[in-house]
Amino acid sequence: MKITALLSDTPLNAVLIGLCFGVLLILPWLHLLPADSALHLSAYWVTLIGKIMCFALVALALDLVWGYAGILSLGHGLYFALGAYAFGMYLMREASGDQLPDFMRFLSWTELPWYWVGTEHFLWAMALVVLVPGVIAFIFGFFAFRSKIKGVYFSIITQAMTFAAALLFFRNETGFGGNNGFTGFKTILGLDITSALMRASLCFITAVVLLLCFVALRHLMNRPYGRVLGAVRDGENRLQFLGYRTLWYKLSAWVISAIIAGIAGALYVPQSGIINPSEMNPVNSIEMAVWVAAGGRGTLIGPILGAGLINALKTYFTVAYPEVWLLILGGLFIVVTIFLPKGVIGLFDRFKKERD
């Protein structure tokens, strides 16, 4: 039995996945309980859970192109950061009111750059969250896939593009805050961003978006489109011989994946309180690939689990033993690659086969 069947075709597994998402939808509201309540969730924990769910959303996006289409991206941190910056522009405009953002006044700017026009409007900011990663992914993907760049060469190009973007955003004259990025957020739609209700709401919205994306992608992958993506991964030349235009299948998956990553970034920035070019660090994109590999490629639920487990470990070790975290991460990736090629989810498949 395949892992995908194990995860989606049995009622028991559907119930377990439903329960997990149900817990994620309930947890944010525990933050609104009295502080002396045994079930109260502190601001630290509700924010941490929200951020980890944002990372899980990126892992889900990466699994679409790597797990199903066989396209390994080492640059999804770029799309995540672009979505964060797009929504961060709105948050900065909210914080500055009728004046220029603080970093622009510090640099003696006298007017907003043209690409900041309209960012004071929430709906336009939401449109930018989708359009900016989507358009850039379309342009890059079209030329890359049309040139038939594959394998490690494609991965290196995505990483190089992310690094180049980080260098660009580090420059003060680009109008994105330079090294410091965006911070000092105060309100969303006029509501205090630090209030308990807003924290709980942002965490809840992140859980809802994660659930909707999971359900939508699971439905899509069970359709002929998903089967064609799998055929692209396993034998693209044979598929082209049968008359399929694989360019558009790969490009559409790439754009959808970039948009989901951008939405994750937009949800991340108000919960973290900051966005700067360090989010485009190539190491971050490599970590995203580790989340997917550790959880189980081509399963959708596996990358969500992998992102949750690894970021939980990261939260502990970067505080208790910060100097060894990267060693642990590298060791984990080696162990998963050698002993768990199907990730943590593969253990369930192995257990199922042993029982049968």
Side-chain angles (χ1 to χ4, degrees), residues 17 74 90 168 206 212 341:
I17 292 173
L74 295 180
Y90 164 77
L168 178 65
T206 305
L212 291 177

Side-chain angles (χ1 to χ4, degrees), residues 100-122:
L100 294 176
D102 292 340
F103 72 90
M104 291 186 183
R105 297 202 301 272
F106 177 77
L107 295 173
S108 301
W109 290 33
T110 58
E111 60 181 4
L112 285 170
W114 63 268
Y115 44 85
W116 278 75
V117 174
T119 53
E120 71 274 17
H121 301 296
F122 179 81

Side-chain angles (χ1 to χ4, degrees), residues 85 103 106 169-170 172 176-183 274-277:
Y85 268 101
F103 72 90
F106 177 77
F169 275 70
F170 267 118
N172 287 325
F176 293 106
N179 182 56
N180 295 322
F182 298 158
T183 189
I274 188 172
I275 177 64
N276 57 42

Side-chain angles (χ1 to χ4, degrees), residues 76-219:
H76 258 49
L78 171 62
Y79 304 121
F80 178 81
L82 288 175
Y85 268 101
F87 192 63
M89 293 164 74
Y90 164 77
L91 296 175
M92 292 298 291
R93 295 294 300 275
E94 279 262 306
S96 59
D98 296 331
Q99 298 181 338
L100 294 176
D102 292 340
F103 72 90
M104 291 186 183
R105 297 202 301 272
F106 177 77
L107 295 173
S108 301
W109 290 33
T110 58
E111 60 181 4
L112 285 170
W114 63 268
Y115 44 85
W116 278 75
V117 174
T119 53
E120 71 274 17
H121 301 296
F122 179 81
L123 292 180
W124 176 239
M126 290 292 95
L128 288 177
V129 167
V130 174
L131 290 174
V132 173
V135 170
I136 291 179
F138 180 86
I139 295 172
F140 169 79
F142 178 78
F143 288 104
F145 297 139
R146 192 180 69 167
S147 301
K148 297 183 180 180
I149 300 174
K150 299 179 181 179
V152 66
Y153 300 104
F154 183 88
S155 301
I156 292 173
I157 290 175
T158 58
Q159 192 172 54
M161 184 177 68
T162 304
F163 184 66
L167 295 178
L168 178 65
F169 275 70
F170 267 118
R171 300 173 65 91
N172 287 325
E173 58 267 30
T174 56
F176 293 106
N179 182 56
N180 295 322
F182 298 158
T183 189
F185 310 135
K186 297 178 181 178
T187 59
I188 297 179
L189 294 172
L191 302 174
D192 183 7
I193 200 171
T194 61
S195 68
L197 179 59
M198 181 57 70
R199 286 197 192 98
S201 298
L202 287 170
C203 188
F204 175 76
I205 292 170
T206 305
V208 170
V209 173
L210 179 61
L211 173 60
L212 291 177
C213 288
F214 170 77
V215 172
L217 289 181
R218 174 176 156 181
H219 174 75

